[in-house]
Amino acid sequence: MFQNKRLLAVSLIQNWIVGPIFMFILAIVFLRNYPEYMIGVILVGLARCIAMGIVCNELADGDRELAVGLVAFNAIFRVLFCAVYIYVFIRVALNSLGLAKGLAVDKNGVLVTACPSRIAITP
């Protein structure tokens, strides 16, 4: 799987650039007057449901090993970048556009989202 650089690049671009930006734009265009819903749509766009790829792959009778490899590859990126994306898209971008003035992102929530192992460590 890691030999196919083009496939890895397309997967990363779709999951970590196109998807989140598209959901951010949709949230701003359609939910500008509803900040709670706007933030919810943005979070859905950032929380890439990469495991659903396995289900879709099974339905399409695709290559199981490749699908599992791509899910694992994207899961690593989710752990590394989800918290950063939440901070950038919600706190920085929404505040800079004036759509959610004074919005604060709960750092503990970001840590739990970005680092699932923290749940096992926290009493």
Side-chain angles (χ1 to χ4, degrees):
M1 184 201 87
F2 290 107
Q3 294 174 355
N4 192 342
K5 305 288 187 211
R6 183 171 180 252
L7 180 66
L8 293 174
V10 167
S11 177
L12 288 177
I13 290 169
Q14 285 180 339
N15 282 303
W16 297 104
I17 297 174
V18 175
I21 291 174
F22 183 68
M23 291 298 277
F24 183 78
I25 292 169
L26 284 177
I28 290 173
V29 169
F30 293 108
L31 300 168
R32 178 180 297 270
N33 297 325
Y34 305 97
E36 300 87 8
Y37 294 128
M38 184 174 54
I39 291 168
V41 169
I42 293 168
L43 286 174
V44 167
L46 298 178
R48 311 305 301 156
C49 185
I50 51 182
M52 193 62 187
I54 294 173
V55 174
C56 294
N57 183 64
E58 284 297 312
L59 292 173
D61 198 29
D63 185 349
R64 288 182 181 165
E65 290 80 17
L66 184 60
V68 170
L70 285 173
V71 166
F73 184 66
N74 279 293
I76 292 168
F77 276 82
R78 178 182 170 130
V79 170
L80 295 175
F81 294 114
C82 193
V84 174
Y85 269 43
I86 290 171
Y87 181 80
V88 169
F89 278 94
I90 294 178
R91 179 135 188 221
V92 175
L94 287 182
N95 279 331
S96 67
L97 292 173
L99 297 173
K101 290 287 184 191
L103 180 68
V105 176
D106 180 21
K107 293 176 185 169
N108 290 329
V110 171
L111 286 174
V112 169
T113 302
C115 186
S117 61
R118 184 178 183 275
I119 296 170
I121 297 171
T122 305

PDB file of all heavy atoms in Angstrom, residues 45-74:
ATOM      1  N   GLY A  45     -17.225  17.800   9.700  1.00  0.00           N
ATOM      2  CA  GLY A  45     -16.277  17.813   8.589  1.00  0.00           C
ATOM      3  C   GLY A  45     -14.856  17.506   9.009  1.00  0.00           C
ATOM      4  O   GLY A  45     -14.063  16.967   8.235  1.00  0.00           O
ATOM      5  N   LEU A  46     -14.518  17.835  10.258  1.00  0.00           N
ATOM      6  CA  LEU A  46     -13.165  17.569  10.746  1.00  0.00           C
ATOM      7  C   LEU A  46     -13.010  16.165  11.288  1.00  0.00           C
ATOM      8  O   LEU A  46     -11.912  15.617  11.301  1.00  0.00           O
ATOM      9  CB  LEU A  46     -12.794  18.583  11.841  1.00  0.00           C
ATOM     10  CG  LEU A  46     -12.754  20.040  11.403  1.00  0.00           C
ATOM     11  CD1 LEU A  46     -12.432  20.926  12.594  1.00  0.00           C
ATOM     12  CD2 LEU A  46     -11.756  20.246  10.295  1.00  0.00           C
ATOM     13  N   ALA A  47     -14.092  15.582  11.757  1.00  0.00           N
ATOM     14  CA  ALA A  47     -14.047  14.231  12.321  1.00  0.00           C
ATOM     15  C   ALA A  47     -14.231  13.235  11.189  1.00  0.00           C
ATOM     16  O   ALA A  47     -15.315  12.708  10.973  1.00  0.00           O
ATOM     17  CB  ALA A  47     -15.121  14.062  13.381  1.00  0.00           C
ATOM     18  N   ARG A  48     -13.188  13.010  10.482  1.00  0.00           N
ATOM     19  CA  ARG A  48     -13.249  12.138   9.314  1.00  0.00           C
ATOM     20  C   ARG A  48     -13.631  10.727   9.732  1.00  0.00           C
ATOM     21  O   ARG A  48     -12.956  10.107  10.544  1.00  0.00           O
ATOM     22  CB  ARG A  48     -11.919  12.106   8.576  1.00  0.00           C
ATOM     23  CG  ARG A  48     -11.301  13.455   8.283  1.00  0.00           C
ATOM     24  CD  ARG A  48     -12.172  14.402   7.531  1.00  0.00           C
ATOM     25  NE  ARG A  48     -12.576  13.878   6.256  1.00  0.00           N
ATOM     26  CZ  ARG A  48     -13.655  14.263   5.620  1.00  0.00           C
ATOM     27  NH1 ARG A  48     -14.450  15.152   6.141  1.00  0.00           N
ATOM     28  NH2 ARG A  48     -13.960  13.743   4.465  1.00  0.00           N
ATOM     29  N   CYS A  49     -14.712  10.218   9.197  1.00  0.00           N
ATOM     30  CA  CYS A  49     -15.171   8.866   9.510  1.00  0.00           C
ATOM     31  C   CYS A  49     -14.474   7.898   8.569  1.00  0.00           C
ATOM     32  O   CYS A  49     -15.058   7.365   7.628  1.00  0.00           O
ATOM     33  CB  CYS A  49     -16.681   8.766   9.384  1.00  0.00           C
ATOM     34  SG  CYS A  49     -17.316   7.173   9.902  1.00  0.00           S
ATOM     35  N   ILE A  50     -13.211   7.670   8.845  1.00  0.00           N
ATOM     36  CA  ILE A  50     -12.396   6.876   7.935  1.00  0.00           C
ATOM     37  C   ILE A  50     -12.734   5.396   7.989  1.00  0.00           C
ATOM     38  O   ILE A  50     -12.530   4.683   7.020  1.00  0.00           O
ATOM     39  CB  ILE A  50     -10.899   7.108   8.219  1.00  0.00           C
ATOM     40  CG1 ILE A  50     -10.608   6.916   9.693  1.00  0.00           C
ATOM     41  CG2 ILE A  50     -10.482   8.490   7.766  1.00  0.00           C
ATOM     42  CD1 ILE A  50      -9.190   7.162  10.108  1.00  0.00           C
ATOM     43  N   ALA A  51     -13.280   4.915   9.096  1.00  0.00           N
ATOM     44  CA  ALA A  51     -13.616   3.500   9.191  1.00  0.00           C
ATOM     45  C   ALA A  51     -14.785   3.139   8.280  1.00  0.00           C
ATOM     46  O   ALA A  51     -14.939   1.978   7.899  1.00  0.00           O
ATOM     47  CB  ALA A  51     -13.939   3.130  10.631  1.00  0.00           C
ATOM     48  N   MET A  52     -15.611   4.106   7.925  1.00  0.00           N
ATOM     49  CA  MET A  52     -16.718   3.835   7.006  1.00  0.00           C
ATOM     50  C   MET A  52     -16.195   3.400   5.646  1.00  0.00           C
ATOM     51  O   MET A  52     -16.896   2.739   4.889  1.00  0.00           O
ATOM     52  CB  MET A  52     -17.584   5.089   6.879  1.00  0.00           C
ATOM     53  CG  MET A  52     -18.892   4.857   6.219  1.00  0.00           C
ATOM     54  SD  MET A  52     -19.844   3.705   7.199  1.00  0.00           S
ATOM     55  CE  MET A  52     -21.212   3.436   6.115  1.00  0.00           C
ATOM     56  N   GLY A  53     -14.946   3.723   5.364  1.00  0.00           N
ATOM     57  CA  GLY A  53     -14.330   3.260   4.125  1.00  0.00           C
ATOM     58  C   GLY A  53     -14.290   1.756   4.019  1.00  0.00           C
ATOM     59  O   GLY A  53     -14.402   1.183   2.932  1.00  0.00           O
ATOM     60  N   ILE A  54     -14.142   1.082   5.143  1.00  0.00           N
ATOM     61  CA  ILE A  54     -14.131  -0.383   5.140  1.00  0.00           C
ATOM     62  C   ILE A  54     -15.505  -0.916   4.727  1.00  0.00           C
ATOM     63  O   ILE A  54     -15.602  -1.847   3.924  1.00  0.00           O
ATOM     64  CB  ILE A  54     -13.712  -0.929   6.521  1.00  0.00           C
ATOM     65  CG1 ILE A  54     -12.263  -0.538   6.793  1.00  0.00           C
ATOM     66  CG2 ILE A  54     -13.888  -2.433   6.595  1.00  0.00           C
ATOM     67  CD1 ILE A  54     -11.789  -0.875   8.183  1.00  0.00           C
ATOM     68  N   VAL A  55     -16.558  -0.318   5.251  1.00  0.00           N
ATOM     69  CA  VAL A  55     -17.912  -0.745   4.897  1.00  0.00           C
ATOM     70  C   VAL A  55     -18.171  -0.511   3.412  1.00  0.00           C
ATOM     71  O   VAL A  55     -18.661  -1.393   2.707  1.00  0.00           O
ATOM     72  CB  VAL A  55     -18.956  -0.006   5.764  1.00  0.00           C
ATOM     73  CG1 VAL A  55     -20.369  -0.322   5.309  1.00  0.00           C
ATOM     74  CG2 VAL A  55     -18.767  -0.360   7.228  1.00  0.00           C
ATOM     75  N   CYS A  56     -17.841   0.673   2.939  1.00  0.00           N
ATOM     76  CA  CYS A  56     -18.039   0.978   1.521  1.00  0.00           C
ATOM     77  C   CYS A  56     -17.205   0.064   0.632  1.00  0.00           C
ATOM     78  O   CYS A  56     -17.653  -0.364  -0.433  1.00  0.00           O
ATOM     79  CB  CYS A  56     -17.704   2.436   1.247  1.00  0.00           C
ATOM     80  SG  CYS A  56     -18.824   3.585   2.029  1.00  0.00           S
ATOM     81  N   ASN A  57     -16.003  -0.243   1.077  1.00  0.00           N
ATOM     82  CA  ASN A  57     -15.140  -1.142   0.324  1.00  0.00           C
ATOM     83  C   ASN A  57     -15.757  -2.539   0.231  1.00  0.00           C
ATOM     84  O   ASN A  57     -15.720  -3.171  -0.823  1.00  0.00           O
ATOM     85  CB  ASN A  57     -13.762  -1.216   0.984  1.00  0.00           C
ATOM     86  CG  ASN A  57     -12.816  -2.076   0.199  1.00  0.00           C
ATOM     87  OD1 ASN A  57     -12.484  -1.761  -0.929  1.00  0.00           O
ATOM     88  ND2 ASN A  57     -12.396  -3.185   0.794  1.00  0.00           N
ATOM     89  N   GLU A  58     -16.330  -3.018   1.322  1.00  0.00           N
ATOM     90  CA  GLU A  58     -16.983  -4.331   1.303  1.00  0.00           C
ATOM     91  C   GLU A  58     -18.187  -4.325   0.370  1.00  0.00           C
ATOM     92  O   GLU A  58     -18.408  -5.283  -0.362  1.00  0.00           O
ATOM     93  CB  GLU A  58     -17.410  -4.740   2.714  1.00  0.00           C
ATOM     94  CG  GLU A  58     -16.280  -5.220   3.589  1.00  0.00           C
ATOM     95  CD  GLU A  58     -15.617  -6.483   3.049  1.00  0.00           C
ATOM     96  OE1 GLU A  58     -16.329  -7.442   2.681  1.00  0.00           O
ATOM     97  OE2 GLU A  58     -14.379  -6.495   2.993  1.00  0.00           O
ATOM     98  N   LEU A  59     -18.969  -3.264   0.405  1.00  0.00           N
ATOM     99  CA  LEU A  59     -20.138  -3.162  -0.468  1.00  0.00           C
ATOM    100  C   LEU A  59     -19.738  -3.147  -1.939  1.00  0.00           C
ATOM    101  O   LEU A  59     -20.450  -3.663  -2.789  1.00  0.00           O
ATOM    102  CB  LEU A  59     -20.950  -1.912  -0.135  1.00  0.00           C
ATOM    103  CG  LEU A  59     -21.655  -1.927   1.224  1.00  0.00           C
ATOM    104  CD1 LEU A  59     -22.280  -0.567   1.509  1.00  0.00           C
ATOM    105  CD2 LEU A  59     -22.702  -3.029   1.281  1.00  0.00           C
ATOM    106  N   ALA A  60     -18.588  -2.559  -2.224  1.00  0.00           N
ATOM    107  CA  ALA A  60     -18.114  -2.467  -3.606  1.00  0.00           C
ATOM    108  C   ALA A  60     -17.243  -3.650  -3.999  1.00  0.00           C
ATOM    109  O   ALA A  60     -16.761  -3.705  -5.129  1.00  0.00           O
ATOM    110  CB  ALA A  60     -17.327  -1.177  -3.795  1.00  0.00           C
ATOM    111  N   ASP A  61     -17.035  -4.576  -3.061  1.00  0.00           N
ATOM    112  CA  ASP A  61     -16.189  -5.749  -3.288  1.00  0.00           C
ATOM    113  C   ASP A  61     -14.780  -5.321  -3.711  1.00  0.00           C
ATOM    114  O   ASP A  61     -14.208  -5.827  -4.670  1.00  0.00           O
ATOM    115  CB  ASP A  61     -16.815  -6.667  -4.340  1.00  0.00           C
ATOM    116  CG  ASP A  61     -16.230  -8.071  -4.291  1.00  0.00           C
ATOM    117  OD1 ASP A  61     -15.800  -8.508  -3.199  1.00  0.00           O
ATOM    118  OD2 ASP A  61     -16.183  -8.733  -5.354  1.00  0.00           O
ATOM    119  N   GLY A  62     -14.227  -4.384  -2.940  1.00  0.00           N
ATOM    120  CA  GLY A  62     -12.905  -3.852  -3.234  1.00  0.00           C
ATOM    121  C   GLY A  62     -11.794  -4.633  -2.554  1.00  0.00           C
ATOM    122  O   GLY A  62     -12.009  -5.676  -1.932  1.00  0.00           O
ATOM    123  N   ASP A  63     -10.594  -4.127  -2.662  1.00  0.00           N
ATOM    124  CA  ASP A  63      -9.405  -4.741  -2.079  1.00  0.00           C
ATOM    125  C   ASP A  63      -9.389  -4.491  -0.567  1.00  0.00           C
ATOM    126  O   ASP A  63      -9.196  -3.364  -0.115  1.00  0.00           O
ATOM    127  CB  ASP A  63      -8.165  -4.129  -2.745  1.00  0.00           C
ATOM    128  CG  ASP A  63      -6.869  -4.786  -2.304  1.00  0.00           C
ATOM    129  OD1 ASP A  63      -6.880  -5.574  -1.333  1.00  0.00           O
ATOM    130  OD2 ASP A  63      -5.845  -4.499  -2.940  1.00  0.00           O
ATOM    131  N   ARG A  64      -9.577  -5.548   0.213  1.00  0.00           N
ATOM    132  CA  ARG A  64      -9.667  -5.410   1.669  1.00  0.00           C
ATOM    133  C   ARG A  64      -8.378  -4.911   2.292  1.00  0.00           C
ATOM    134  O   ARG A  64      -8.397  -4.057   3.177  1.00  0.00           O
ATOM    135  CB  ARG A  64     -10.032  -6.747   2.306  1.00  0.00           C
ATOM    136  CG  ARG A  64     -11.442  -7.150   2.063  1.00  0.00           C
ATOM    137  CD  ARG A  64     -11.749  -8.452   2.752  1.00  0.00           C
ATOM    138  NE  ARG A  64     -13.125  -8.820   2.478  1.00  0.00           N
ATOM    139  CZ  ARG A  64     -13.615 -10.003   2.696  1.00  0.00           C
ATOM    140  NH1 ARG A  64     -12.867 -10.945   3.211  1.00  0.00           N
ATOM    141  NH2 ARG A  64     -14.875 -10.256   2.416  1.00  0.00           N
ATOM    142  N   GLU A  65      -7.265  -5.456   1.871  1.00  0.00           N
ATOM    143  CA  GLU A  65      -5.982  -5.060   2.454  1.00  0.00           C
ATOM    144  C   GLU A  65      -5.682  -3.586   2.201  1.00  0.00           C
ATOM    145  O   GLU A  65      -5.204  -2.881   3.074  1.00  0.00           O
ATOM    146  CB  GLU A  65      -4.840  -5.928   1.918  1.00  0.00           C
ATOM    147  CG  GLU A  65      -4.870  -7.370   2.403  1.00  0.00           C
ATOM    148  CD  GLU A  65      -5.858  -8.238   1.635  1.00  0.00           C
ATOM    149  OE1 GLU A  65      -6.302  -7.845   0.526  1.00  0.00           O
ATOM    150  OE2 GLU A  65      -6.208  -9.305   2.157  1.00  0.00           O
ATOM    151  N   LEU A  66      -5.972  -3.152   1.000  1.00  0.00           N
ATOM    152  CA  LEU A  66      -5.747  -1.747   0.657  1.00  0.00           C
ATOM    153  C   LEU A  66      -6.657  -0.831   1.485  1.00  0.00           C
ATOM    154  O   LEU A  66      -6.212   0.194   2.004  1.00  0.00           O
ATOM    155  CB  LEU A  66      -5.982  -1.518  -0.836  1.00  0.00           C
ATOM    156  CG  LEU A  66      -5.702  -0.121  -1.357  1.00  0.00           C
ATOM    157  CD1 LEU A  66      -4.253   0.260  -1.134  1.00  0.00           C
ATOM    158  CD2 LEU A  66      -6.069  -0.027  -2.824  1.00  0.00           C
ATOM    159  N   ALA A  67      -7.915  -1.214   1.635  1.00  0.00           N
ATOM    160  CA  ALA A  67      -8.852  -0.400   2.408  1.00  0.00           C
ATOM    161  C   ALA A  67      -8.430  -0.305   3.868  1.00  0.00           C
ATOM    162  O   ALA A  67      -8.444   0.781   4.458  1.00  0.00           O
ATOM    163  CB  ALA A  67     -10.266  -0.969   2.301  1.00  0.00           C
ATOM    164  N   VAL A  68      -8.043  -1.411   4.448  1.00  0.00           N
ATOM    165  CA  VAL A  68      -7.609  -1.400   5.848  1.00  0.00           C
ATOM    166  C   VAL A  68      -6.337  -0.573   6.003  1.00  0.00           C
ATOM    167  O   VAL A  68      -6.182   0.178   6.965  1.00  0.00           O
ATOM    168  CB  VAL A  68      -7.413  -2.836   6.378  1.00  0.00           C
ATOM    169  CG1 VAL A  68      -6.745  -2.842   7.734  1.00  0.00           C
ATOM    170  CG2 VAL A  68      -8.747  -3.558   6.442  1.00  0.00           C
ATOM    171  N   GLY A  69      -5.441  -0.670   5.046  1.00  0.00           N
ATOM    172  CA  GLY A  69      -4.219   0.127   5.084  1.00  0.00           C
ATOM    173  C   GLY A  69      -4.508   1.620   5.014  1.00  0.00           C
ATOM    174  O   GLY A  69      -3.920   2.413   5.755  1.00  0.00           O
ATOM    175  N   LEU A  70      -5.436   2.011   4.141  1.00  0.00           N
ATOM    176  CA  LEU A  70      -5.794   3.424   4.029  1.00  0.00           C
ATOM    177  C   LEU A  70      -6.492   3.927   5.292  1.00  0.00           C
ATOM    178  O   LEU A  70      -6.262   5.056   5.726  1.00  0.00           O
ATOM    179  CB  LEU A  70      -6.687   3.667   2.815  1.00  0.00           C
ATOM    180  CG  LEU A  70      -5.981   3.643   1.462  1.00  0.00           C
ATOM    181  CD1 LEU A  70      -6.992   3.718   0.335  1.00  0.00           C
ATOM    182  CD2 LEU A  70      -4.974   4.772   1.361  1.00  0.00           C
ATOM    183  N   VAL A  71      -7.330   3.092   5.890  1.00  0.00           N
ATOM    184  CA  VAL A  71      -7.994   3.483   7.137  1.00  0.00           C
ATOM    185  C   VAL A  71      -6.954   3.689   8.234  1.00  0.00           C
ATOM    186  O   VAL A  71      -6.988   4.677   8.975  1.00  0.00           O
ATOM    187  CB  VAL A  71      -9.050   2.444   7.553  1.00  0.00           C
ATOM    188  CG1 VAL A  71      -9.496   2.651   8.985  1.00  0.00           C
ATOM    189  CG2 VAL A  71     -10.246   2.512   6.609  1.00  0.00           C
ATOM    190  N   ALA A  72      -6.007   2.771   8.338  1.00  0.00           N
ATOM    191  CA  ALA A  72      -4.956   2.906   9.358  1.00  0.00           C
ATOM    192  C   ALA A  72      -4.098   4.140   9.092  1.00  0.00           C
ATOM    193  O   ALA A  72      -3.760   4.882  10.017  1.00  0.00           O
ATOM    194  CB  ALA A  72      -4.087   1.654   9.371  1.00  0.00           C
ATOM    195  N   PHE A  73      -3.759   4.373   7.843  1.00  0.00           N
ATOM    196  CA  PHE A  73      -2.955   5.533   7.462  1.00  0.00           C
ATOM    197  C   PHE A  73      -3.668   6.832   7.845  1.00  0.00           C
ATOM    198  O   PHE A  73      -3.079   7.733   8.428  1.00  0.00           O
ATOM    199  CB  PHE A  73      -2.682   5.462   5.955  1.00  0.00           C
ATOM    200  CG  PHE A  73      -1.793   6.538   5.422  1.00  0.00           C
ATOM    201  CD1 PHE A  73      -0.467   6.616   5.806  1.00  0.00           C
ATOM    202  CD2 PHE A  73      -2.267   7.460   4.517  1.00  0.00           C
ATOM    203  CE1 PHE A  73       0.365   7.601   5.302  1.00  0.00           C
ATOM    204  CE2 PHE A  73      -1.451   8.443   4.002  1.00  0.00           C
ATOM    205  CZ  PHE A  73      -0.128   8.518   4.402  1.00  0.00           C
ATOM    206  N   ASN A  74      -4.962   6.922   7.535  1.00  0.00           N
ATOM    207  CA  ASN A  74      -5.722   8.124   7.867  1.00  0.00           C
ATOM    208  C   ASN A  74      -5.984   8.241   9.362  1.00  0.00           C
ATOM    209  O   ASN A  74      -6.115   9.345   9.879  1.00  0.00           O
ATOM    210  CB  ASN A  74      -7.033   8.162   7.084  1.00  0.00           C
ATOM    211  CG  ASN A  74      -6.824   8.671   5.682  1.00  0.00           C
ATOM    212  OD1 ASN A  74      -6.485   9.827   5.491  1.00  0.00           O
ATOM    213  ND2 ASN A  74      -6.987   7.806   4.705  1.00  0.00           N
TER     214      ASN A  74
END
